[in-house]
Amino acid sequence: MKVQRRRALGALAALAAPWCVRAADASWPGAAWDTSKPADSGWNTERLRQADEVARQLWSNAVLVVHRGRVVHEFGDTQKPVNLYSGRKSVLGVLLGMEVDAGRLKPQATLAELGINDKQGLSEVEKSATVQQLMQSRSGIYHPAAYETLQAKAERPARGSHAPGTHYYYNNWDFNALGSIYKAASGQTVFEGLRDALAKPLQMQHLDIKQHTQWALESASEHAAYVMQLSALDWARVGLLMARGGLWQGQRLLSEAWVAVSTKLHSVVPPGWSGYGYLWWTPLRAFDFWTRTPGQVFFAHGNHGQVLWVDRARDIVVVHNTDHRRMLRASPELGQLYPLLQHIFTAMP
């Protein structure tokens, strides 16, 4: 019994241990990704073929599966940078975490302390919102924002209807203002940070900052949206950094603590299909087949089927994207990706 108990405890410790302890054969991408044939790494090729068939039906641009740092499956054009839409916010979440780690940004700092305002002016109550509340999309600031969808504009609550921290609303004003806050803390724009703090150390292959980034500014607000395009292969590098707890080739770029707190469930999004952390989503009922390791699975999501899926416990990263500019009909909702992700999940070793 003692031997069995020790083995059981050892198995639990292995599951909770850092990825590097669990996966001795894990690798890192360099200037290019290493690849591994699915069959050689234990993946079910028939299930992956079924996932590809779903991707064809959705007019997907690319599907990418990375396991233990190696590409085990690709579908479509994984090298083409496409608009991440709201997936950009999770990228900013990584950059903000670096500023928190460096001590240049305090999550509990208020907008009043940081000197953040807007064209219509913020009330004293609104200025009491913290950086943390903006990252949680719980600021209570319902000011017009750049790059909002028509649905978001229609659903935006009235100004002053909720105090900071008391109500979740997916709020582009919060996300855009965080771009301004990042610049004040780091001395760089979001795109300069993307280039220097992420693209260079992660050795992104396809990103051209001048060509693949764009500011979206509207007259109602002084805070611009930071539109970015990444290829599936480059976005997967961000996912792998998160999967590895902020480590990259032996160098710590982001703290383990930030990875944990930013991907933790802070809000249950009505009606409970998913949850929200700090600019990252957590799966709940929407992906019941992939919620066996709470706190270890999270994802970035943007309109038109842009998804970066991270499974820390299994050291797996999955990317799905569409090229909405090329194929206007290619606009799958998140729920439509359920069968594709389920095929990938059941194909795992």
Side-chain angles (χ1 to χ4, degrees), residues 95 188 190-202 209:
L95 295 174
Q188 293 187 305
V190 172
F191 299 145
E192 291 168 339
L194 171 63
R195 178 194 64 201
D196 296 341
L198 283 176
K200 288 181 180 178
L202 301 188
I209 289 294

Side-chain angles (χ1 to χ4, degrees), residues 87-107:
R88 65 191 174 94
K89 299 159 189 174
S90 299
V91 176
L92 177 60
V94 176
L95 295 174
L96 289 167
M98 293 176 174
E99 295 307 301
V100 173
D101 289 342
R104 291 186 290 264
L105 180 63
K106 297 185 183 302

Side-chain angles (χ1 to χ4, degrees), residues 21-335:
V21 177
R22 298 196 314 269
D25 62 338
S27 69
W28 297 97
W33 286 86
D34 291 335
T35 60
S36 176
K37 293 181 179 180
D40 293 344
S41 52
W43 285 74
N44 185 311
T45 55
E46 175 59 21
R47 289 290 188 181
L48 292 173
R49 186 198 65 77
Q50 293 171 350
D52 290 350
E53 184 56 36
V54 175
R56 288 188 187 93
Q57 295 171 8
L58 295 174
W59 296 93
S60 303
N61 177 70
V63 177
L64 178 71
V65 181
V66 174
H67 186 207
R68 294 177 179 170
R70 299 181 183 87
V71 173
V72 297
H73 185 67
E74 290 182 88
F75 168 88
D77 189 349
T78 58
Q79 299 184 31
K80 183 175 184 177
V82 299
N83 191 339
L84 301 184
Y85 292 97
S86 288
R88 65 191 174 94
K89 299 159 189 174
S90 299
V91 176
L92 177 60
V94 176
L95 295 174
L96 289 167
M98 293 176 174
E99 295 307 301
V100 173
D101 289 342
R104 291 186 290 264
L105 180 63
K106 297 185 183 302
Q108 298 305 323
T110 67
L111 299 190
E113 292 169 340
L114 297 173
I116 297 295
N117 208 330
D118 210 339
K119 288 187 176 180
Q120 295 182 14
L122 301 182
S123 70
E124 293 306 310
V125 172
E126 289 173 327
K127 289 180 182 180
S128 72
T130 66
V131 174
Q132 179 188 56
Q133 289 165 347
L134 268 66
M135 291 188 292
Q136 294 171 330
S137 204
R138 299 177 69 94
S139 73
I141 302 172
Y142 307 127
H143 188 287
Y147 217 54
E148 280 186 307
T149 64
L150 292 176
Q151 181 180 354
K153 290 180 180 180
E155 295 177 351
R156 187 196 309 129
R159 293 283 296 272
S161 57
H162 298 282
T166 64
H167 180 72
Y168 169 85
Y169 164 71
Y170 193 72
N171 190 357
N172 259 28
W173 191 91
D174 290 0
F175 309 132
N176 296 344
L178 284 170
S180 301
I181 290 170
Y182 174 79
K183 182 178 181 180
S186 69
Q188 293 187 305
T189 67
V190 172
F191 299 145
E192 291 168 339
L194 171 63
R195 178 194 64 201
D196 296 341
L198 283 176
K200 288 181 180 178
L202 301 188
Q203 294 180 272
M204 290 185 181
Q205 299 166 268
H206 310 117
L207 176 65
D208 181 327
I209 289 294
K210 291 183 178 180
Q211 182 179 353
H212 299 135
T213 61
Q214 179 183 1
W215 296 104
L217 189 61
E218 296 180 15
S219 59
S221 175
E222 65 186 43
H223 303 292
Y226 34 93
V227 182
M228 59 181 71
Q229 300 175 39
L230 292 180
S231 69
L233 287 164
D234 284 350
W235 204 14
R237 290 174 187 257
V238 178
L240 187 61
L241 174 68
M242 294 292 287
R244 302 277 173 89
L247 286 174
W248 192 264
Q249 297 183 350
Q251 180 183 2
R252 179 155 295 286
L253 301 183
L254 189 66
S255 69
E256 175 78 35
W258 184 259
V259 173
V261 73
S262 63
T263 59
K264 178 183 176 182
L265 177 68
H266 294 282
S267 298
V268 174
V269 180
W273 295 109
S274 57
Y276 205 65
Y278 293 173
L279 306 173
W280 288 90
W281 296 89
T282 59
L284 298 175
R285 288 187 290 148
F287 299 100
D288 55 335
F289 57 85
W290 220 325
T291 54
R292 299 178 184 178
T293 48
Q296 294 294 301
V297 180
F298 48 90
F299 63 100
H301 174 231
N303 273 347
H304 311 300
Q306 323 304 333
V307 177
L308 170 65
W309 196 271
V310 180
D311 185 333
R312 291 197 65 194
R314 300 171 182 85
D315 197 18
I316 292 173
V317 176
V318 178
V319 179
H320 174 274
N321 68 38
T322 62
D323 185 0
H324 191 57
R325 297 171 304 171
R326 182 178 65 86
M327 196 71 72
L328 292 178
R329 55 185 166 174
S331 185
E333 299 292 335
L334 186 61

